[in-house]
Amino acid sequence: MNSIKEYEFWFITGSQHLYGTETLQQVERDSRVIAEGINACGKMPCRIALKPIVKTPAEITAVFKEAQYNDKCAGVIVWMHTFSPSKMWINGLKNYTKPYLHFHTQFNRDIPWNEIDMDFMNLNQSAHGDREHGFITARLRKQPKIVVGYWEDDKPRQKIADWMRAAAGYAVSQKLKMVRFGDNMRQVAVTEGDKVEAEIKLGWDIEYRGIGDLVDAMDKIADSQIDAQMNEYAKVYQMNTKDVDAVRYQAKIQLGLEKIFKDNGYSAFTTNFEDLWGMEQLPGLAAQDMIRKGCGFGGEGDWKVAAMCRIMKAMTEGQSGGTAFMEDYTYHLEKDNEHILGAHMLEVCPTVAEGDIKIEVHPLGIGDRNPPARLVFDSKDGDAIVVSLVDIGGRLRLIVNDVKACNPLHKMPNLPVAGVMWKPLPDLQTSAEAWIMAGGAHHSVLSYDLTAEQMHDWAKMMDIEFVHINADIKIREFEKELFWNDIAYKLK
Ligand code: MN
């Protein structure tokens, strides 16, 4: 799995020859100061690469052509220091499909009241140069991310950093290759979908392998490799079981999975507890430790949630809040204190843990295999989002709900799995009504690091439908939004 730090964003300043050499040199110098200032601020997950200022249609077309085909370039950031007639940009933008941010800023923060003259006015013209640029992106239906603000302020810088993470998610999505061990769970609808459409729209290569391929890979794992993996577990987790053999079996599963991942370039996978021929345990600890390290996972053959888990993990690289495959499991319906208890049979990611993370072995109520080793822990307090991607028939819909996640309200000594509790916004009744109305899955990805705005940006980059359940939602308006979206997407 590549690091998103390897990506760069090209900073392109627009101008024109009208102003003369001296002004253009000043534009070039100012652009450098802005790009270097943003790079040095410590917020950016990726580097900004400054490109020479563009002044002609040929220069603009050339730089966008290069940006489109350069694998390191994950997106461009444009800014009009002066006026830059935007017909010049049409050919460059027409064939450019990667993420696009329009940074509406100005080199000078304040008007120099005593010195200001017409030269200053002509040099610092983004107030109307960026409006000219906005017209052409609107006319071309480009829908760039628009960030407005003084370039030295924290707020616009944070917005650029957040958008970079979404754009990195776009790049990761285009290259994503994943494996489904077994098919989707029998008769389940929401985990299904059009894999050809997902590859066209999102770039995902979703491959099938029989579980026998994993059993085969596991058979080739040496005891010494298992010993080394057990040492790795001991560095991160507390052993809270005497059944060492059950834990060693999970180590063997993990080593087998990692071998298959390495040989085939996979970064996400699904399992299905109905399809475990030749396996003694359902992957539990093995899956959890791999998800912790950035791998995507989906239970019961849910390939959409597995890929989203991988992409959202990549988007949050270097952050510490935590991102996990999740499932709405059961409710606490105490009046005015309603909560959702999220968990899964086994595979909750330990990046969302607070306190000790224990390896335990317990029987599984569902399925007919040996008691699997798994990680057990509690979750932390914090603002989070839950995200579900569904195939609504003819298109993909991304549903995001803002939530307040927390530690379980009380101890649950008999619950042998990790869990997260959350209070969905605006409240459980409205959130669940909207979620169910939109067809949101019981599987989701929960993230303490990402925001709905970042997922919105990502959905726009991927050209898929986005709906947001938040503190301000009005259920009848939401119903209308779904209805209108249906019509709009049929016309598209
Ligand atoms: Mn499930």
Side-chain angles (χ1 to χ4, degrees):
M1 281 173 248
N2 297 331
S3 165
I4 64 166
K5 285 190 200 129
E6 289 163 25
Y7 290 117
E8 59 184 28
F9 289 84
W10 291 10
F11 192 83
I12 301 169
T13 306
S15 191
Q16 61 174 325
H17 278 299
L18 181 75
Y19 303 99
T21 320
E22 209 178 303
T23 302
L24 290 178
Q25 283 170 349
Q26 189 63 46
V27 169
E28 191 98 55
R29 280 195 295 274
D30 293 348
S31 299
R32 181 168 299 282
V33 171
I34 291 180
E36 285 174 359
I38 295 174
N39 272 336
C41 80
K43 286 185 194 299
M44 299 298 137
C46 309
R47 210 178 69 85
I48 287 179
L50 180 70
K51 294 288 147 182
I53 59 170
V54 289
K55 307 161 297 288
T56 64
E59 286 171 359
I60 293 165
T61 305
V63 74
F64 275 103
K65 204 165 149 186
E66 220 185 314
Q68 183 70 33
Y69 289 100
N70 186 306
D71 279 339
K72 273 189 85 168
C73 174
V76 301
I77 299 172
V78 301
W79 168 55
M80 307 303 125
H81 192 319
T82 63
F83 202 77
S84 179
S86 68
K87 278 189 193 171
M88 300 200 304
W89 292 72
I90 293 172
N91 273 321
L93 284 175
K94 229 167 45 183
N95 298 316
Y96 178 76
T97 58
K98 286 183 179 177
Y100 192 67
L101 185 142
H102 183 183
F103 188 25
H104 183 42
T105 191
Q106 181 171 284
F107 187 69
N108 277 65
R109 194 190 73 171
D110 299 339
I111 290 175
W113 305 103
N114 288 323
E115 293 84 38
I116 187 166
D117 57 11
M118 279 320 286
D119 284 347
F120 180 93
M121 295 279 272
N122 287 329
L123 175 64
N124 296 286
Q125 250 181 5
S126 51
H128 76 282
D130 274 333
R131 284 166 209 261
E132 164 74 357
H133 192 76
F135 170 73
I136 210 62
T137 52
R139 176 69 180 79
L140 289 166
R141 311 293 193 268
K142 289 310 274 188
Q143 296 201 305
K145 174 75 174 179
I146 301 162
V147 175
V148 182
Y150 182 54
W151 62 276
E152 285 194 291
D153 286 348
D154 277 349
K155 220 172 157 184
R157 285 178 170 184
Q158 190 58 53
K159 274 187 177 280
I160 292 172
D162 290 348
W163 171 84
M164 274 185 182
R165 291 186 178 278
Y170 173 93
V172 169
S173 188
Q174 304 300 331
K175 287 192 196 165
L176 188 136
K177 197 175 167 191
M178 65 165 294
V179 57
R180 306 157 59 227
F181 289 106
D183 202 351
N184 297 59
M185 187 178 169
R186 284 185 278 280
Q187 299 181 329
V188 176
V190 77
T191 58
E192 283 286 3
D194 183 341
K195 294 192 281 295
V196 175
E197 181 67 12
E199 184 147 5
I200 294 168
K201 229 36 194 176
L202 310 172
W204 302 350
D205 174 351
I206 307 149
E207 301 187 350
Y208 166 86
R209 277 176 191 273
I211 195 76
D213 284 6
L214 175 56
V215 175
D216 238 14
M218 286 165 61
D219 284 345
K220 296 188 179 81
I221 302 299
D223 277 350
S224 58
Q225 289 174 276
I226 296 175
D227 294 342
Q229 184 61 52
M230 292 294 283
N231 288 335
E232 290 301 309
Y233 289 154
K235 284 182 197 160
V236 194
Y237 313 123
Q238 286 183 12
M239 194 72 144
N240 197 32
T241 176
K242 291 198 168 63
D243 191 352
V244 177
D245 285 347
V247 183
R248 289 182 69 86
Y249 190 77
Q250 288 287 333
K252 194 169 164 182
I253 298 175
Q254 180 165 354
L255 291 161
L257 281 167
E258 286 177 346
K259 174 79 167 69
I260 294 174
F261 268 49
K262 193 160 171 260
D263 290 350
N264 297 281
Y266 297 139
S267 58
F269 72 111
T270 66
T271 57
N272 180 347
F273 68 91
E274 288 180 337
D275 197 346
L276 290 174
W277 194 91
M279 300 277 289
E280 292 170 22
Q281 295 177 24
L282 176 67
L285 166 62
Q288 289 172 293
D289 193 53
M290 286 179 73
I291 307 168
R292 176 181 68 83
K293 293 194 274 185
C295 166
F297 176 80
E300 295 93 60
D302 192 340
W303 51 270
K304 295 191 299 300
V305 82
M308 286 310 300
C309 178
R310 165 63 196 140
I311 291 165
M312 290 171 67
K313 288 257 172 198
M315 284 164 73
T316 62
E317 187 185 310
Q319 295 184 294
S320 57
T323 298
F325 163 64
M326 193 48 62
E327 178 170 276
D328 301 77
Y329 228 111
T330 198
Y331 287 139
H332 180 66
L333 292 177
E334 179 192 349
K335 196 173 180 309
D336 299 328
N337 192 30
E338 292 90 346
H339 279 76
I340 297 175
L341 175 60
H344 205 253
M345 284 159 67
L346 302 170
E347 312 89 342
V348 180
C349 175
T351 57
V352 302
E354 182 174 85
D356 297 340
I357 307 171
K358 295 177 205 147
I359 298 177
E360 299 188 1
V361 178
H362 302 277
L364 206 56
I366 301 173
D368 58 352
R369 293 293 185 273
N370 294 342
R374 81 285 305 273
L375 298 170
V376 181
F377 51 83
D378 290 331
S379 60
K380 48 187 145 183
D381 289 338
D383 291 335
I385 53 169
V386 287
V387 176
S388 171
L389 179 72
V390 292
D391 183 336
I392 202 72
R395 71 177 184 281
L396 296 158
R397 168 182 286 165
L398 193 74
I399 303 156
V400 177
N401 191 182
D402 297 341
V403 306
K404 298 242 172 248
C406 60
N407 249 312
L409 303 179
H410 298 280
K411 290 268 170 239
M412 297 178 288
N414 287 314
L415 192 68
V417 292
V420 180
M421 285 207 99
W422 67 86
K423 201 175 172 50
L425 297 181
D427 52 68
L428 177 69
Q429 289 82 354
T430 314
S431 151
E433 184 178 347
W435 188 274
I436 289 169
M437 195 187 282
H442 54 284
H443 286 164
S444 60
V445 183
L446 178 142
S447 178
Y448 288 85
D449 287 318
L450 294 171
T451 63
E453 184 173 347
Q454 286 174 292
M455 296 316 296
H456 181 218
D457 288 345
W458 182 82
K460 270 173 80 173
M461 291 165 191
M462 308 312 303
D463 192 26
I464 61 170
E465 184 187 1
F466 172 87
V467 292
H468 186 195
I469 303 165
N470 59 21
D472 304 323
I473 190 175
K474 296 279 175 288
I475 201 79
R476 293 285 80 88
E477 294 304 312
F478 187 72
E479 187 177 33
K480 279 189 253 175
E481 182 184 347
L482 295 178
F483 178 65
W484 290 331
N485 284 359
D486 228 14
I487 296 166
Y489 276 89
K490 276 174 191 149
L491 297 173
K492 250 187 142 181

